[in-house]
Coordinates of all heavy atoms in Angstrom, one line a residue:
M1 N 66.8 37.6 110.2 CA 67.4 38.4 109.1 C 66.5 39.6 108.7 O 67.0 40.6 108.3 CB 67.6 37.4 107.9 CG 68.5 38.0 106.9 SD 70.2 38.2 107.6 CE 71.1 38.4 106.2
D2 N 65.2 39.4 108.8 CA 64.3 40.5 108.5 C 64.5 41.7 109.4 O 64.4 42.8 109.0 CB 62.8 40.0 108.6 CG 61.8 41.0 108.2 OD1 62.1 41.7 107.1 OD2 60.8 41.2 108.9
F3 N 64.8 41.4 110.7 CA 65.0 42.5 111.6 C 66.2 43.4 111.2 O 66.2 44.6 111.3 CB 65.2 41.9 113.0 CG 65.4 42.9 114.1 CD1 64.3 43.7 114.4 CD2 66.5 43.1 114.8 CE1 64.4 44.7 115.4 CE2 66.7 44.0 115.8 CZ 65.6 44.8 116.1
F4 N 67.3 42.7 110.7 CA 68.5 43.4 110.3 C 68.1 44.3 109.1 O 68.6 45.5 109.1 CB 69.5 42.4 109.8 CG 70.7 43.0 109.2 CD1 71.7 43.6 109.9 CD2 70.9 42.9 107.8 CE1 72.8 44.2 109.3 CE2 72.0 43.5 107.2 CZ 72.9 44.1 108.0
W5 N 67.3 43.9 108.2 CA 67.0 44.8 107.0 C 66.1 45.9 107.4 O 66.1 47.0 106.8 CB 66.4 43.9 105.9 CG 67.5 43.1 105.3 CD1 67.5 41.7 105.3 CD2 68.6 43.5 104.5 NE1 68.7 41.3 104.6 CE2 69.4 42.4 104.2 CE3 69.1 44.8 104.2 CZ2 70.5 42.5 103.5 CZ3 70.3 44.9 103.5 CH2 71.0 43.7 103.1
R6 N 65.2 45.7 108.4 CA 64.4 46.8 108.9 C 65.3 47.9 109.6 O 65.0 49.1 109.4 CB 63.4 46.3 109.9 CG 62.2 45.6 109.1 CD 61.1 45.4 110.0 NE 61.4 44.5 111.2 CZ 60.6 44.2 112.1 NH1 59.3 44.6 112.1 NH2 60.9 43.4 113.1
I7 N 66.3 47.4 110.3 CA 67.3 48.4 110.9 C 68.0 49.2 109.8 O 68.1 50.4 109.9 CB 68.2 47.7 111.9 CG1 67.5 47.2 113.1 CG2 69.4 48.6 112.3 CD1 68.3 46.3 114.0
I8 N 68.5 48.5 108.8 CA 69.2 49.1 107.7 C 68.3 50.1 107.0 O 68.7 51.3 106.7 CB 69.7 48.1 106.7 CG1 70.8 47.2 107.4 CG2 70.3 48.7 105.4 CD1 72.0 47.9 107.9
N9 N 67.0 49.8 106.7 CA 66.1 50.7 106.1 C 65.8 51.9 107.0 O 65.7 53.0 106.5 CB 64.8 50.0 105.8 CG 64.9 49.1 104.6 OD1 65.8 49.3 103.7 ND2 64.1 48.0 104.5
F10 N 65.7 51.7 108.3 CA 65.5 52.8 109.2 C 66.7 53.8 109.1 O 66.5 55.0 109.1 CB 65.3 52.3 110.6 CG 65.2 53.4 111.6 CD1 64.1 54.3 111.8 CD2 66.3 53.7 112.5 CE1 64.1 55.3 112.7 CE2 66.3 54.7 113.4 CZ 65.2 55.5 113.5
L11 N 67.9 53.2 109.1 CA 69.1 54.1 109.1 C 69.2 54.8 107.8 O 69.6 56.0 107.7 CB 70.3 53.2 109.3 CG 70.5 52.7 110.7 CD1 71.7 51.7 110.8 CD2 70.6 53.8 111.8
K12 N 68.8 54.2 106.7 CA 68.8 54.9 105.4 C 67.8 56.0 105.3 O 68.0 57.0 104.7 CB 68.5 53.9 104.3 CG 69.7 53.0 103.9 CD 69.4 51.9 103.0 CE 68.8 52.2 101.7 NZ 68.6 51.1 100.8
E13 N 66.6 55.8 106.0 CA 65.6 56.9 106.0 C 66.0 58.1 106.9 O 65.7 59.2 106.6 CB 64.3 56.3 106.5 CG 63.7 55.4 105.6 CD 62.5 54.7 106.2 OE1 62.1 55.0 107.4 OE2 61.9 53.8 105.5
T14 N 66.7 57.8 108.0 CA 67.1 58.9 108.9 C 68.5 59.5 108.5 O 68.9 60.5 109.1 CB 67.1 58.5 110.3 OG1 68.1 57.4 110.5 CG2 65.8 58.0 110.8
A15 N 69.2 59.0 107.6 CA 70.6 59.4 107.3 C 70.6 60.9 106.8 O 71.5 61.6 107.3 CB 71.2 58.5 106.2
P16 N 69.7 61.4 105.9 CA 69.8 62.8 105.5 C 69.7 63.8 106.6 O 70.4 64.8 106.7 CB 68.7 62.9 104.5 CG 68.4 61.6 104.0 CD 68.7 60.6 105.1
F17 N 68.8 63.5 107.6 CA 68.7 64.3 108.8 C 70.0 64.4 109.6 O 70.4 65.5 109.9 CB 67.5 63.8 109.6 CG 67.4 64.6 110.9 CD1 67.0 65.9 111.0 CD2 67.8 63.9 112.1 CE1 66.9 66.5 112.2 CE2 67.8 64.6 113.3 CZ 67.3 65.9 113.4
F18 N 70.6 63.3 109.8 CA 71.8 63.3 110.6 C 73.0 63.8 109.9 O 73.9 64.4 110.5 CB 72.1 61.8 111.1 CG 71.2 61.4 112.2 CD1 70.2 60.4 112.0 CD2 71.2 62.1 113.5 CE1 69.4 60.1 113.0 CE2 70.3 61.7 114.5 CZ 69.4 60.7 114.3
I19 N 73.0 63.7 108.6 CA 74.1 64.3 107.8 C 74.0 65.8 107.9 O 75.0 66.5 108.1 CB 74.1 63.8 106.3 CG1 74.4 62.3 106.3 CG2 75.0 64.6 105.4 CD1 74.2 61.7 104.9
A20 N 72.8 66.3 107.7 CA 72.6 67.8 107.8 C 72.9 68.3 109.2 O 73.5 69.3 109.3 CB 71.2 68.1 107.4
M21 N 72.5 67.6 110.2 CA 72.7 68.0 111.5 C 74.2 68.0 111.8 O 74.7 68.9 112.5 CB 72.0 67.0 112.5 CG 72.1 67.5 113.9 SD 71.1 66.5 115.1 CE 72.0 65.0 115.0
N22 N 75.0 67.0 111.4 CA 76.4 66.9 111.6 C 77.1 68.1 110.9 O 78.1 68.7 111.4 CB 77.0 65.6 111.1 CG 76.9 64.5 112.2 OD1 76.7 64.8 113.3 ND2 77.0 63.3 111.7
I23 N 76.7 68.4 109.7 CA 77.3 69.5 108.9 C 77.0 70.9 109.6 O 77.9 71.7 109.7 CB 76.9 69.5 107.5 CG1 77.5 68.3 106.8 CG2 77.3 70.8 106.7 CD1 77.0 68.0 105.4
I24 N 75.8 71.1 110.1 CA 75.5 72.3 110.8 C 76.3 72.4 112.0 O 76.9 73.5 112.3 CB 74.0 72.4 111.0 CG1 73.2 72.6 109.7 CG2 73.7 73.5 112.0 CD1 71.7 72.4 109.9
L25 N 76.4 71.3 112.8 CA 77.2 71.4 114.0 C 78.6 71.6 113.8 O 79.3 72.4 114.4 CB 77.0 70.0 114.8 CG 77.8 69.9 116.1 CD1 77.3 70.8 117.1 CD2 77.7 68.4 116.5
A26 N 79.2 71.0 112.7 CA 80.6 71.1 112.4 C 80.9 72.6 111.9 O 81.9 73.1 112.3 CB 81.0 70.2 111.3
S27 N 80.0 73.2 111.2 CA 80.1 74.6 110.7 C 80.1 75.5 111.9 O 81.0 76.4 112.0 CB 79.0 75.0 109.8 OG 79.1 74.1 108.6
F28 N 79.2 75.3 112.9 CA 79.2 76.2 114.0 C 80.4 76.0 114.9 O 81.0 77.0 115.3 CB 77.9 75.8 114.9 CG 77.9 76.5 116.2 CD1 77.6 77.8 116.3 CD2 78.2 75.8 117.4 CE1 77.5 78.5 117.5 CE2 78.1 76.4 118.6 CZ 77.8 77.8 118.7
L29 N 80.9 74.8 115.1 CA 82.1 74.6 115.9 C 83.3 75.1 115.1 O 84.3 75.6 115.8 CB 82.3 73.1 116.2 CG 81.3 72.5 117.2 CD1 81.5 71.0 117.3 CD2 81.5 73.2 118.6
L30 N 83.4 75.0 113.8 CA 84.5 75.6 113.1 C 84.6 77.1 113.2 O 85.6 77.6 113.5 CB 84.3 75.2 111.6 CG 85.4 75.7 110.7 CD1 86.7 75.0 111.0 CD2 85.1 75.4 109.2
I31 N 83.4 77.8 113.1 CA 83.4 79.2 113.3 C 83.8 79.6 114.7 O 84.6 80.5 114.9 CB 82.0 79.8 112.9 CG1 81.8 79.6 111.4 CG2 81.9 81.2 113.3 CD1 80.4 79.9 111.0
L32 N 83.2 78.9 115.7 CA 83.6 79.2 117.1 C 85.0 78.9 117.4 O 85.7 79.7 118.0 CB 82.7 78.3 118.0 CG 82.9 78.5 119.5 CD1 82.5 80.0 119.9 CD2 82.1 77.5 120.3
G33 N 85.6 77.9 116.8 CA 87.0 77.6 117.0 C 87.9 78.6 116.4 O 88.9 79.0 117.0
L34 N 87.5 79.1 115.2 CA 88.4 80.1 114.6 C 88.3 81.4 115.3 O 89.3 82.1 115.4 CB 87.9 80.2 113.1 CG 88.3 79.0 112.2 CD1 87.7 79.3 110.8 CD2 89.7 78.8 112.1
V35 N 87.1 81.7 115.8 CA 87.0 83.0 116.6 C 87.9 82.9 117.9 O 88.6 83.8 118.3 CB 85.5 83.3 117.0 CG1 85.4 84.3 118.1 CG2 84.8 83.7 115.8
L36 N 87.8 81.7 118.5 CA 88.6 81.5 119.8 C 90.1 81.5 119.5 O 90.9 81.9 120.3 CB 88.2 80.3 120.5 CG 86.8 80.3 121.2 CD1 86.4 79.0 121.7 CD2 86.8 81.4 122.3
M37 N 90.5 81.1 118.3 CA 91.9 81.0 117.9 C 92.4 82.3 117.2 O 93.5 82.3 116.8 CB 92.1 79.8 117.0 CG 91.9 78.5 117.5 SD 93.3 77.9 118.6 CE 94.5 77.8 117.4
S38 N 91.5 83.3 117.1 CA 91.9 84.5 116.4 C 93.1 85.2 117.1 O 93.4 84.9 118.3 CB 90.7 85.5 116.3 OG 90.4 85.9 117.6
K39 N 93.7 86.1 116.4 CA 94.9 86.7 117.0 C 94.7 87.5 118.3 O 95.5 87.5 119.2 CB 95.5 87.7 115.9 CG 96.8 88.2 116.2 CD 97.4 88.9 115.0 CE 98.9 89.1 115.3 NZ 99.7 89.3 114.2
K40 N 93.5 88.1 118.4 CA 93.2 88.8 119.6 C 93.0 87.9 120.8 O 93.4 88.3 121.9 CB 91.9 89.6 119.4 CG 91.5 90.5 120.5 CD 90.4 91.4 120.2 CE 89.1 90.6 120.1 NZ 87.9 91.4 120.0
N41 N 92.5 86.7 120.6 CA 92.2 85.8 121.7 C 93.4 84.8 122.0 O 93.3 84.1 122.9 CB 91.0 85.0 121.5 CG 89.7 85.9 121.6 OD1 89.7 86.9 122.3 ND2 88.7 85.5 120.8
R42 N 94.4 84.8 121.1 CA 95.4 83.9 121.2 C 96.3 84.0 122.4 O 97.0 83.1 122.9 CB 96.3 83.9 120.0 CG 96.9 82.5 119.7 CD 97.7 82.5 118.4 NE 96.9 83.0 117.3 CZ 97.5 83.5 116.2 NH1 98.8 83.5 116.1 NH2 96.8 84.0 115.2
E43 N 96.3 85.3 123.0 CA 97.2 85.5 124.1 C 96.7 84.7 125.4 O 97.5 84.4 126.2 CB 97.2 87.0 124.5 CG 98.0 87.8 123.5 CD 97.1 88.3 122.3 OE1 95.9 88.4 122.5 OE2 97.7 88.5 121.2
Q44 N 95.4 84.5 125.5 CA 94.9 83.8 126.6 C 95.0 82.3 126.3 O 94.4 81.8 125.3 CB 93.5 84.2 126.9 CG 93.4 85.6 127.3 CD 92.0 86.1 127.5 OE1 91.0 85.4 127.1 NE2 91.8 87.3 128.0
K45 N 95.6 81.5 127.2 CA 95.9 80.1 126.9 C 94.6 79.3 127.0 O 94.4 78.4 126.2 CB 96.8 79.6 128.0 CG 97.3 78.2 127.7 CD 98.4 77.8 128.6 CE 98.9 76.4 128.2 NZ 100.0 76.0 129.0
A46 N 93.6 79.7 127.8 CA 92.4 79.0 127.9 C 91.6 79.1 126.7 O 91.0 78.1 126.2 CB 91.6 79.5 129.1
K47 N 91.5 80.3 126.1 CA 90.8 80.4 124.8 C 91.4 79.7 123.7 O 90.8 79.2 122.8 CB 90.6 81.9 124.5 CG 89.6 82.6 125.4 CD 89.3 84.0 124.9 CE 88.3 84.6 125.8 NZ 88.0 86.0 125.4
K48 N 92.8 79.6 123.7 CA 93.5 78.9 122.6 C 93.2 77.4 122.7 O 92.9 76.8 121.7 CB 95.0 79.2 122.8 CG 95.8 78.5 121.7 CD 97.3 78.9 121.8 CE 98.1 78.2 120.8 NZ 99.5 78.5 120.9
I49 N 93.2 76.9 123.9 CA 92.9 75.5 124.1 C 91.4 75.2 123.7 O 91.1 74.2 123.1 CB 93.2 75.0 125.5 CG1 94.7 75.1 125.8 CG2 92.7 73.6 125.8 CD1 95.1 74.9 127.2
A50 N 90.5 76.1 124.1 CA 89.1 75.9 123.8 C 88.9 75.9 122.3 O 88.1 75.2 121.7 CB 88.2 76.9 124.5
G51 N 89.6 76.8 121.6 CA 89.6 76.9 120.1 C 90.1 75.6 119.5 O 89.5 75.1 118.5
M52 N 91.1 75.0 120.0 CA 91.7 73.8 119.5 C 90.7 72.6 119.7 O 90.5 71.8 118.8 CB 93.0 73.4 120.1 CG 94.1 74.2 119.6 SD 95.7 73.6 120.2 CE 96.3 75.0 121.0
V53 N 90.0 72.6 120.8 CA 89.0 71.6 121.1 C 87.8 71.7 120.2 O 87.3 70.7 119.6 CB 88.6 71.7 122.6 CG1 87.3 70.8 122.8 CG2 89.7 71.3 123.5
C54 N 87.4 73.0 119.9 CA 86.3 73.2 119.0 C 86.6 72.8 117.6 O 85.8 72.1 116.9 CB 85.8 74.6 119.0 SG 84.9 75.1 120.4
L55 N 87.8 73.1 117.2 CA 88.3 72.7 115.8 C 88.4 71.1 115.7 O 88.0 70.6 114.7 CB 89.6 73.3 115.5 CG 89.6 74.8 115.2 CD1 91.0 75.4 115.0 CD2 88.6 75.2 114.1
S56 N 88.8 70.5 116.8 CA 88.9 69.0 116.8 C 87.5 68.4 116.7 O 87.3 67.5 115.9 CB 89.6 68.5 118.0 OG 90.9 69.0 118.1
F57 N 86.6 68.9 117.5 CA 85.2 68.3 117.4 C 84.6 68.7 116.1 O 83.8 67.9 115.6 CB 84.4 68.8 118.6 CG 84.6 68.1 119.8 CD1 85.0 68.8 121.0 CD2 84.5 66.7 119.9 CE1 85.3 68.1 122.1 CE2 84.7 66.0 121.1 CZ 85.1 66.7 122.2
S58 N 84.9 69.8 115.5 CA 84.4 70.1 114.2 C 84.9 69.1 113.1 O 84.1 68.7 112.3 CB 84.8 71.5 113.8 OG 84.5 71.8 112.5
M59 N 86.1 68.8 113.2 CA 86.7 67.8 112.2 C 86.0 66.4 112.4 O 85.7 65.7 111.5 CB 88.2 67.6 112.4 CG 88.9 68.8 111.8 SD 90.7 68.5 111.8 CE 91.1 69.3 113.4
L60 N 85.8 66.1 113.7 CA 85.1 64.8 114.0 C 83.7 64.8 113.4 O 83.2 63.8 112.9 CB 85.1 64.5 115.4 CG 86.4 64.1 116.0 CD1 86.3 63.9 117.5 CD2 86.9 62.7 115.4
S61 N 83.0 65.9 113.6 CA 81.6 66.0 113.1 C 81.6 65.9 111.5 O 80.7 65.3 111.0 CB 81.0 67.3 113.6 OG 79.6 67.3 113.3
F62 N 82.5 66.6 110.9 CA 82.6 66.5 109.4 C 82.9 65.0 109.0 O 82.3 64.5 108.1 CB 83.6 67.4 108.8 CG 83.2 68.8 108.5 CD1 83.8 69.9 109.1 CD2 82.1 69.0 107.7 CE1 83.4 71.2 108.9 CE2 81.7 70.3 107.4 CZ 82.3 71.4 108.0
L63 N 83.7 64.4 109.7 CA 84.1 63.0 109.4 C 82.8 62.1 109.7 O 82.6 61.2 108.9 CB 85.2 62.5 110.3 CG 85.7 61.1 110.1 CD1 86.3 60.9 108.8 CD2 86.7 60.7 111.2
G64 N 82.0 62.4 110.7 CA 80.8 61.6 110.9 C 79.8 61.8 109.8 O 79.2 60.9 109.4
A65 N 79.7 63.0 109.3 CA 78.8 63.3 108.2 C 79.2 62.6 106.9 O 78.4 62.0 106.2 CB 78.7 64.8 107.9
M66 N 80.5 62.6 106.7 CA 81.1 61.9 105.5 C 80.9 60.4 105.6 O 80.5 59.7 104.6 CB 82.5 62.3 105.3 CG 82.8 63.7 104.9 SD 81.8 64.3 103.5 CE 82.6 63.3 102.2
S67 N 81.2 59.8 106.7 CA 81.0 58.4 106.9 C 79.6 57.9 106.8 O 79.2 56.9 106.2 CB 81.7 57.9 108.2 OG 80.9 58.4 109.3
N68 N 78.7 58.8 107.4 CA 77.2 58.5 107.3 C 76.8 58.5 105.8 O 76.0 57.7 105.4 CB 76.5 59.5 108.1 CG 75.1 59.0 108.5 OD1 74.6 58.1 107.9 ND2 74.4 59.7 109.3
A69 N 77.2 59.5 105.1 CA 76.8 59.6 103.7 C 77.4 58.4 102.9 O 76.7 57.9 102.1 CB 77.4 60.9 103.1
F70 N 78.6 58.1 103.2 CA 79.3 57.0 102.5 C 78.5 55.7 102.7 O 78.1 55.0 101.7 CB 80.7 56.8 102.9 CG 81.4 55.6 102.3 CD1 81.8 55.7 101.0 CD2 81.7 54.5 103.0 CE1 82.5 54.6 100.4 CE2 82.3 53.4 102.5 CZ 82.7 53.4 101.2
F71 N 78.2 55.3 103.9 CA 77.5 54.1 104.2 C 76.1 54.1 103.8 O 75.5 53.1 103.4 CB 77.7 53.7 105.7 CG 79.0 53.1 106.0 CD1 79.9 53.9 106.7 CD2 79.3 51.8 105.6 CE1 81.2 53.3 107.0 CE2 80.5 51.3 105.9 CZ 81.5 52.0 106.6
S72 N 75.4 55.3 103.9 CA 74.0 55.3 103.5 C 73.8 55.2 102.0 O 72.8 54.6 101.6 CB 73.4 56.6 104.0 OG 73.5 56.7 105.4
F73 N 74.6 56.0 101.2 CA 74.3 56.1 99.8 C 75.1 55.2 98.9 O 74.8 54.9 97.8 CB 74.4 57.5 99.4 CG 73.5 58.4 100.1 CD1 74.0 59.5 100.9 CD2 72.1 58.3 100.0 CE1 73.1 60.3 101.6 CE2 71.3 59.1 100.7 CZ 71.8 60.2 101.5
I74 N 76.3 54.7 99.4 CA 77.1 53.9 98.6 C 77.1 52.4 99.0 O 76.9 51.5 98.2 CB 78.6 54.4 98.6 CG1 78.6 55.8 98.0 CG2 79.5 53.5 97.9 CD1 79.9 56.5 98.1
V75 N 77.3 52.2 100.3 CA 77.3 50.8 100.7 C 75.9 50.1 100.7 O 75.8 49.0 100.2 CB 78.0 50.7 102.1 CG1 77.9 49.3 102.7 CG2 79.4 51.2 102.1
F76 N 74.9 50.8 101.3 CA 73.6 50.2 101.4 C 72.8 50.8 100.3 O 71.7 50.8 100.1 CB 73.0 50.5 102.7 CG 73.7 49.8 103.9 CD1 74.3 50.6 104.9 CD2 73.9 48.5 103.9 CE1 75.0 50.0 105.9 CE2 74.6 47.9 104.9 CZ 75.1 48.7 106.0

């Protein structure tokens, strides 16, 4: 049982770093996705699909940051 609590404490200590990293990654992907989805690039199907993929991964990264924050600061 002591091993479990050491893992929980380690995750609580590293959580702020991973939350910040997820938010930075999500912001970068959001900007990149919006640039690829812009009106000028929308005519090319490959750029439109790449923009949708970037926006999807951006949402997943924001979700990861939120779930990490929820479990780190509220649950534990």
